[in-house]
Amino acid sequence: MQKIEINLTVNQRSYELKVKPNKRLLDVLRNDLNFTGVKEGCGIGECGACTVIMDGEIVNSCMVLAGQARDSEIITVEDLESENGLHPIQKAFIDAGAVQCGFCTPGMILSTLNLLKENSNPTRSEIKDGLEGNFCRCTGYKQIIDAVELAAEMMRD
Amino acid sequence: MKKFNKEKRVDAHKKIAGEEKYVSDLNVSDKLIGATIRSEYAHAKIEEIIFAQDFDWDDIVIMIAADIKNNYVAMIEKDMPFLAKSIVNYIGEPIVLLAAKNRKKLDEAINNIEIKYETLEPVLTFDEALSAAENKDDLIFKQMQVKRGNFSTAVKRANFIIEDMVETSYQEQAYMEPQGVIAIPKNNDKIEIRGSIQCPYYVQNAMDQLFADTDIKINVNANPLGGSFGGKEDFPSLISGHAALLAHKAQKPVEIIYDRKEDIKTTPKRHPSRSEFRVAVNEEGRIIGLEVKLSINGGAYCTLSPVVLERAVLTFGCYFIENICIDGYALKTNTVPNAAFRGFGGPQALFAAEMMIEKIAMELNLTPLEVRQINMLKFGDKLETGQPVNYSFGLPECLQNVLHKSNYIKKYKEFKKFNIENSAEAGYLKGIGMSLARHGGGFTGSGENYMDTVAAMELLQNGKLKIITAQTEMGQGVDTAYKKIVSDFFELPYSQILIENKDTSKVPNSGPTVASRSTMVVGKLIVDNCEKIKNKVLEEQDDLSEFTKKAVDYYKTNGKLKVESTYKHPDFVKYNEKELTGYAYPVFSWSANVAEIMLNLTTYEIEVTKYFTSQDIGRAINPQQAVAQIEGGTVQGIGYALFENMYTQKGQIVNNGFIDYIIPSIMDVPEIEADIVEESYFYGPYGAKGMGELVLVGVAPAIASALINATNKLTRKIPSTPEYIFKLLEE
């Protein structure tokens, strides 16, 4: 298969890449661009560890091909911390004790980011709906839900 | 009582920033990718491995059994080979290893290998294994018996003899990060293993034996793990060997990272079990005798099955039973080897014990709570091994807590009434159930004394302290617990405390990160090391206010200070491993649990709506993370009780992804009310004892008990899937 040229904006920086069109966005991000905060948990779009935000939508990057991602804008977890410090969602995940092994955490945080963009004051049930595509095997989810509530509160202030 | 440092998890920042480096994130240049070619048959003779002649094999590294001199994975036995030589014993058993520059080359190579087999008769199911084992001893990995008193005399005195049989299924650990290692050769005579490895010294030992009689020196460096739950306790010894063999041959780094499908299909799981019990009960509902045959399916190789079995036969409920005989069998079948999983035999035994209680309640027309209260261990009682329960026994308080919080007694009656009067109209049944559970901290029996667990601590030039152990961070928060212990001891901020990498060339063998032992056993050594450093630096003074300054001065005058401590059980903790008598564990942790469920009468789906748990874990070093672990264990237990069903067909695991192996998602989480009872353990660090496994073991029986409240039928099987419930209600 012939390589194609694609342009990707990742975390506000533009990249020109020559890749096979059927290469997974997950591999482009991890292997070509070294955004290893994107994790591979299952490879078939079930677990949400590889969640990124693409053009404002949550996607499993293992289910998106490089060709489909052409000219898109991607946000990974590496984008959240800025010169001003941690993003409120990151702070909330630490404070609520929502991190254990950490492998699902980047995906959880990005799903939270998108959820709170659409709904700044979600109920616990809406939080569950927003994170249902992200599996966690350590926490039992309760502290993650607490973290999202805490983040929403901090972001509204 | 000391106040612990309130700072958050020490690894949280890296993890929320996406900066934590798991094995697949390591940037190792010039590496090859390894792959495994596996048996397609459950039991067969390998006749021939054919490498296609017209394929260019030049760039492919190949290993077969004949290339390996010490072809066994060192565990309890040496029965499991790195690669099958002439006989394969399960579907998925490794036969050939390949390594190549990229996935494409590897796939082409795989397509050019053909293996010819002569099939043999496999032993696949419990029934086959039990009947085959009656005639063939080599189908039993281990047989053991716990015995006290005389069951047959109890039978004569009994008013009721009650029998039944219950079964538990597989459970997959389903850590979010799949198994993976990378072997990096250095200067021809060294190999570094890096990976998602729960127990670096287990891998070290396995590699030392694999490469014995060579000049190759191995070191094992465990990365932070993306979850493990026991799944990366024993198995990394196998794939580390695979990667090391390929890397040594190629003299290039070789990475083997499983995809989810390969991981679920071929790595060890929780042992399926079957428990047949016969219990003698008097008219008040007191158990006066019990006989159990508890069998676990070990799969094709021994792995850790004997110790899983031992923990199972030593964990049969929280009741005083004067005459008791538990016969345990670990059986060999032609299926994927089963091994470590959080709870380690406990979940199987406790499910059986709690269903025994429920069955007695049904037969005697008592409530399940009454039967539990009549038979529950009391302070000073002796367990089946003769071990007295006369310290750190928080079970009665745990029970009081959950009964009070859940309003169990009232709801038990209300739900029964609702089910009779309103369920048809409502379309669902309600249920409330309970369980009592225990988990022994540390290795069973004399295990801890054999280990010679050593932990070290070093005072650095700048006055900082470095904690040096082999305990790995897999999400449970061990790094934070250790920093908290030291930070509290010296009243120092976290920034003054460092943790050495879990690299066997740098840390002593403080034993595996298993058996709820890291805080209780190794944590105690950390306190001992703190004492030693304090005595040297402060010369027996107690004033800690200028510790860092004095430590820097000490270093200037005396140079480096490194101390070590070795673990020994308290003197009275003695165990007879032949008779299975004495102190099976230095201390137990305890829990009482109440679950509420709704059973949909159209779909037979069960929703856990509320869960109350009270857990005696001794002193909680990190209360926030302790509660987080309780919640995590609860949800993993809900999966075990209800949906995590593994289907096998002719010995092959059929479901191998999260679409058909259903683990709990955020939608399956009930309201969980967890509280901690801190019955201090005099020998643990600040009174702490084990908790990592306790959090899971009581969950499934509490849910099964709630199902009984809803259906009036004994729950004989977990997971209790809608299909099972449908059949149960049709009976």
Side-chain angles (χ1 to χ4, degrees):
Chain A
M1 202 180 291
Q2 273 219 321
K3 287 187 174 178
I4 56 166
E5 280 181 21
I6 62 167
N7 181 288
L8 271 185
T9 305
V10 185
N11 302 339
Q12 286 126 68
R13 214 183 121 188
S14 170
Y15 297 89
E16 299 282 344
L17 295 162
K18 241 184 146 177
V19 294
K20 288 190 180 152
N22 67 346
K23 191 168 191 172
R24 303 181 303 176
L25 176 60
L26 169 66
D27 299 322
V28 174
L29 292 171
R30 282 179 56 83
N31 302 339
D32 297 323
L33 301 176
N34 204 26
F35 291 106
T36 52
V38 189
K39 303 297 179 198
E40 176 163 4
C42 73
I44 50 173
E46 293 166 355
C47 77
C50 67
T51 299
V52 299
I53 297 174
M54 183 167 122
D55 292 332
E57 297 285 334
I58 285 293
V59 295
N60 286 317
S61 61
C62 72
M63 302 299 285
V64 177
L65 302 181
Q68 294 171 286
R70 196 176 222 164
D71 298 327
S72 66
E73 253 183 64
I74 309 280
I75 296 171
T76 73
V77 76
E78 284 91 345
D79 191 44
L80 270 75
E81 192 172 355
S82 67
E83 292 145 16
N84 305 327
L86 292 178
H87 190 281
I89 297 173
Q90 292 176 310
K91 266 190 214 148
F93 268 67
I94 296 177
D95 288 347
V99 179
Q100 287 190 32
C101 88
F103 207 74
C104 75
T105 309
M108 286 284 181
I109 286 178
L110 290 166
S111 290
T112 304
L113 183 65
N114 236 35
L115 168 69
L116 295 183
K117 213 169 268 170
E118 287 161 16
N119 181 351
S120 63
N121 191 11
T123 62
R124 287 181 86 82
S125 155
E126 286 166 342
I127 293 171
K128 285 186 176 184
D129 287 342
L131 300 185
E132 73 173 324
N134 296 80
F135 280 144
C136 168
R137 191 63 156 169
C138 300
T139 64
Y141 301 102
K142 190 177 167 223
Q143 315 227 354
I144 291 174
I145 300 171
D146 293 344
V148 179
E149 279 191 325
L150 182 61
E153 203 183 304
M154 294 197 294
M155 286 164 76
R156 284 196 305 273
D157 289 345
Chain B
M1 208 186 258
K2 296 219 177 194
K3 286 262 178 288
F4 288 103
N5 190 325
K6 286 270 193 297
E7 287 179 63
K8 300 296 174 184
R9 275 185 78 109
V10 297
D11 52 353
H13 189 150
K14 271 187 177 172
K15 287 174 175 175
I16 51 97
E19 284 164 7
E20 188 70 288
K21 295 288 176 212
Y22 303 88
V23 62
S24 56
D25 302 329
L26 296 176
N27 194 356
V28 177
S29 54
D30 203 22
K31 72 183 170 195
L32 306 179
I33 300 168
T36 315
I37 298 178
R38 300 170 181 282
S39 169
E40 294 156 52
Y41 294 95
H43 197 197
K45 190 164 176 269
I46 300 170
E47 292 207 310
E48 201 183 354
I49 304 172
I50 304 162
F51 295 85
Q53 286 188 351
D54 54 356
F55 183 73
D56 177 9
W57 294 97
D58 280 356
D59 294 338
I60 311 288
V61 189
I62 305 167
M63 292 293 298
I64 57 170
D67 300 329
I68 310 171
K69 190 171 169 227
N70 300 323
N71 188 12
Y72 64 88
V73 186
M75 285 189 205
I76 294 172
E77 302 290 340
K78 295 178 175 178
D79 60 334
M80 183 163 78
F82 283 100
L83 294 174
K85 193 172 182 187
S86 54
I87 303 283
V88 285
N89 283 303
Y90 68 97
I91 293 174
E93 180 162 7
I95 300 173
V96 182
L97 297 171
L98 300 175
K101 265 194 182 133
N102 56 50
R103 193 70 234 177
K104 189 165 165 265
K105 267 235 139 59
L106 211 47
D107 287 341
E108 285 168 8
I110 291 167
N111 287 332
N112 279 284
I113 294 174
E114 188 193 347
I115 302 174
K116 292 210 156 136
Y117 304 87
E118 181 194 328
T119 57
L120 302 167
E121 198 60 38
V123 175
L124 298 175
T125 65
F126 249 115
D127 290 319
E128 285 171 24
L130 283 164
S131 64
E134 278 179 18
N135 308 316
K136 278 185 81 179
D137 282 352
D138 62 355
L139 293 178
I140 302 175
F141 289 125
K142 187 80 183 180
Q143 182 175 355
M144 53 178 64
Q145 187 181 64
V146 182
K147 193 166 188 268
R148 170 169 67 188
N150 188 329
F151 177 72
S152 41
T153 54
V155 167
K156 284 178 199 150
R157 286 191 288 128
N159 300 91
F160 303 92
I161 304 293
I162 297 163
E163 302 179 53
D164 222 306
M165 182 180 92
V166 298
E167 291 185 328
T168 65
S169 180
Y170 285 107
Q171 188 179 21
E172 161 62 37
Q173 293 86 355
Y175 28 70
M176 283 295 108
E177 177 210 24
Q179 301 266 2
V181 297
I182 178 160
I184 307 164
K186 291 174 176 173
N187 314 329
N188 249 322
D189 62 347
K190 282 199 182 88
I191 301 174
E192 179 177 38
I193 310 273
R194 304 203 59 181
S196 194
I197 294 167
Q198 195 179 324
C199 309
Y201 270 96
Y202 277 179
V203 175
Q204 179 77 51
N205 177 42
M207 295 306 98
D208 288 348
Q209 295 197 41
L210 170 61
F211 289 103
D213 330 311
T214 72
D215 296 332
I216 298 160
K217 293 270 171 287
I218 305 274
N219 76 296
V220 181
N221 190 348
N223 280 73
L225 293 89
S228 185
F229 313 105
K232 297 164 184 169
E233 172 175 345
D234 42 275
F235 191 78
S237 295
L238 179 74
I239 46 169
S240 295
H242 288 170
L245 287 162
L246 287 166
H248 179 57
K249 187 166 178 184
Q251 280 306 304
K252 277 187 179 176
V254 173
E255 175 185 88
I256 301 182
I257 293 181
Y258 285 1
D259 66 18
R260 183 61 60 182
K261 192 171 167 185
E262 185 172 26
D263 192 304
I264 295 184
K265 273 188 155 180
T266 67
T267 69
K269 305 174 202 319
R270 190 184 303 294
H271 294 73
S273 77
R274 173 181 284 188
S275 296
E276 296 158 73
F277 62 81
R278 216 169 148 233
V279 58
V281 185
N282 74 12
E283 57 189 348
E284 285 97 47
R286 171 156 273 289
I287 300 168
I288 52 176
L290 171 65
E291 198 176 57
V292 184
K293 181 179 178 185
L294 189 158
S295 314
I296 60 172
N297 177 356
Y301 294 106
C302 181
T303 69
L304 304 171
S305 291
V307 274
V308 171
L309 180 70
E310 190 170 14
R311 197 177 266 278
V313 300
L314 293 167
T315 312
F316 207 84
C318 301
Y319 307 101
F320 176 76
I321 303 172
E322 199 182 338
N323 301 288
I324 184 165
C325 181
I326 303 177
D327 281 298
Y329 298 86
L331 302 168
K332 179 174 174 172
T333 60
N334 294 106
T335 56
V336 174
N338 295 309
F341 192 159
R342 189 187 215 173
F344 212 76
Q348 295 93 326
L350 286 167
F351 177 69
E354 294 298 277
M355 292 308 101
M356 168 191 79
I357 293 289
E358 298 283 335
K359 174 93 181 186
I360 294 169
M362 292 167 98
E363 296 284 321
L364 272 69
N365 214 10
L366 294 167
T367 68
L369 175 61
E370 284 164 344
V371 180
R372 285 187 174 88
Q373 284 171 327
I374 292 166
N375 292 288
M376 193 172 101
L377 287 162
K378 291 191 302 294
F379 189 88
D381 275 348
K382 285 183 176 162
L383 292 165
E384 54 286 320
T385 58
Q387 173 173 359
V389 182
N390 56 8
Y391 55 89
S392 192
F393 177 57
L395 181 64
E397 191 181 335
C398 293
L399 179 59
Q400 282 314 311
N401 287 350
V402 286
L403 289 178
H404 175 71
K405 281 197 173 167
S406 65
N407 213 351
Y408 172 90
I409 295 170
K410 187 160 165 267
K411 283 182 188 163
Y412 181 80
K413 286 185 208 139
E414 276 177 10
F415 286 11
K416 283 212 162 207
K417 190 161 172 273
F418 172 89
N419 291 338
I420 294 165
E421 294 173 2
N422 307 97
S423 62
E425 198 185 334
Y428 58 85
L429 295 165
K430 281 164 59 161
I432 187 165
M434 65 180 305
S435 72
L436 304 178
R438 62 171 150 134
H439 195 85
F443 283 133
T444 304
S446 318
E448 292 295 344
N449 281 347
Y450 292 142
M451 269 298 310
D452 277 334
T453 288
V454 176
M457 193 180 289
E458 196 176 330
L459 172 66
L460 306 179
Q461 199 168 6
N462 49 14
K464 292 187 182 188
L465 294 167
K466 190 188 261 184
I467 300 165
I468 308 171
T469 79
Q471 307 319 112
T472 50
E473 178 56 65
M474 46 196 171
Q476 86 282 39
V478 72
D479 286 354
T480 308
Y482 287 174
K483 272 206 181 188
K484 266 191 185 321
I485 288 171
V486 177
S487 147
D488 180 66
F489 188 98
F490 287 107
E491 294 166 17
L492 288 173
Y494 281 1
S495 55
Q496 290 299 105
I497 305 159
L498 309 174
I499 292 186
E500 182 59 275
N501 287 339
K502 320 304 164 68
D503 178 336
T504 53
S505 67
K506 293 178 179 158
V507 297
N509 188 354
S510 52
T513 312
V514 304
S516 308
R517 68 187 289 281
S518 294
T519 298
M520 185 179 108
V521 171
V522 184
K524 177 189 160 40
L525 300 183
I526 289 173
V527 175
D528 293 349
N529 286 335
C530 287
E531 290 281 357
K532 287 179 184 170
I533 287 196
K534 185 181 139 199
N535 288 342
K536 289 266 187 196
V537 172
L538 301 181
E539 293 164 353
E540 319 282 328
Q541 304 281 303
D542 273 334
D543 179 18
L544 289 162
S545 58
E546 290 187 2
F547 174 79
T548 299
K549 187 179 164 293
K550 286 177 185 161
V552 172
D553 291 345
Y554 180 93
Y555 194 100
K556 267 187 206 146
T557 320
N558 303 287
K560 178 177 143 172
L561 173 61
K562 188 172 177 186
V563 299
E564 281 189 354
S565 297
T566 304
Y567 182 82
K568 283 281 172 240
H569 273 332
D571 285 343
F572 60 86
V573 174
K574 296 211 162 60
Y575 181 69
N576 180 331
E577 58 203 61
K578 274 212 175 99
E579 304 289 326
L580 274 63
T581 54
Y583 281 78
Y585 301 94
V587 70
F588 287 90
S589 300
W590 307 90
S591 81
N593 310 281
V594 168
E596 283 181 38
I597 60 148
M598 277 169 63
L599 166 56
N600 184 314
L601 285 168
T602 310
T603 62
Y604 297 96
E605 282 168 306
I606 299 152
E607 185 189 345
V608 181
T609 49
K610 281 186 185 164
Y611 193 83
F612 303 88
T613 180
S614 179
Q615 313 221 348
D616 167 22
I617 59 171
R619 181 77 199 279
I621 300 286
N622 183 346
Q624 184 195 49
Q625 286 296 302
V627 170
Q629 268 222 51
I630 292 174
E631 289 163 356
T634 299
V635 173
Q636 201 170 47
I638 290 172
Y640 186 47
L642 296 177
F643 1 100
E644 296 191 26
N645 203 13
M646 203 147 252
Y647 303 91
T648 54
Q649 221 169 47
K650 294 182 183 163
Q652 167 129 37
I653 290 165
V654 181
N655 44 347
N656 46 46
F658 294 139
I659 258 171
D660 45 12
Y661 183 76
I662 312 293
I663 63 168
S665 83
I666 202 165
M667 306 307 272
D668 301 306
V669 184
E671 280 177 44
I672 301 171
E673 269 194 51
D675 70 70
I676 295 171
V677 169
E678 296 186 292
E679 272 293 330
S680 185
Y681 168 46
F682 68 93
Y683 205 68
Y686 300 116
K689 50 188 184 180
M691 73 160 301
E693 296 168 278
L694 178 75
V695 298
L696 177 130
V697 297
V699 183
I703 293 169
S705 163
L707 263 170
I708 297 166
N709 181 227
T711 63
N712 290 316
K713 289 176 191 287
L714 185 69
T715 311
R716 291 195 176 83
K717 192 172 173 292
I718 48 170
S720 302
T721 57
E723 292 86 346
Y724 171 71
I725 299 297
F726 173 71
K727 277 188 206 146
L728 192 71
L729 289 175
E730 294 286 296
E731 260 176 25

